[in-house]
Amino acid sequence: MRHEQMEVWQRSKQLSVGVYRELKDLRDFGFKDQITRSALSIPSNIAEGFERYTEREKFRFVSIAKGSCGEFATQTLIGIEVGYIAEPIGQHWRNEAMTISRMLGSLLKALTPPNH
């Protein structure tokens, strides 16, 4: 299956696009860079994993994507608390990140290499 066909990739791509659009005018470039990178890392690592040849490599990159979900959810919470992200938008992002994380967890179980 191509990564573009996967719901988890599609949802994470849309989340990343939403983050970029919402924060395009944010002047705190350090925060903006960090949160957009973590959001972008999710679909990017899914794509990279599914372009690899072995299950072990797929597993590794999907695992990185799952870690980026946690990083993004944390940064979103901080963004809400410091006033960079409106609470309804931030809560939507956090909920979506947690849903994507669960989806990636299920995918990791399916990809676990036989010798694990």
Side-chain angles (χ1 to χ4, degrees), residues 12 62 84:
S12 62
V62 171
Y84 290 165

Side-chain angles (χ1 to χ4, degrees), residues 17-95:
V17 168
V19 170
Y20 271 87
R21 286 183 176 155
E22 185 65 30
L23 300 179
K24 71 182 185 314
D25 296 326
L26 181 63
R27 306 288 281 163
D28 182 336
F29 299 111
F31 179 83
K32 181 174 159 179
D33 180 63
Q34 194 73 24
I35 195 169
T36 55
R37 281 176 182 262
S38 63
L40 184 61
S41 176
I42 303 166
S44 297
N45 277 292
I46 295 168
E48 186 165 358
F50 275 80
E51 289 296 323
R52 299 294 177 137
Y53 290 105
T54 68
E55 290 297 300
R56 175 169 268 115
E57 288 178 304
K58 286 178 186 172
F59 184 91
R60 178 174 167 253
F61 283 95
V62 171
S63 180
I64 292 168
K66 186 169 175 19
S68 293
C69 283
E71 181 182 3
F72 173 76
T74 297
Q75 292 163 351
T76 299
L77 184 60
I78 292 166
I80 292 167
E81 288 188 27
V82 299
Y84 290 165
I85 302 167
E87 188 156 353
I89 292 168
Q91 289 305 329
H92 170 72
W93 289 354
R94 284 179 49 78
N95 291 340

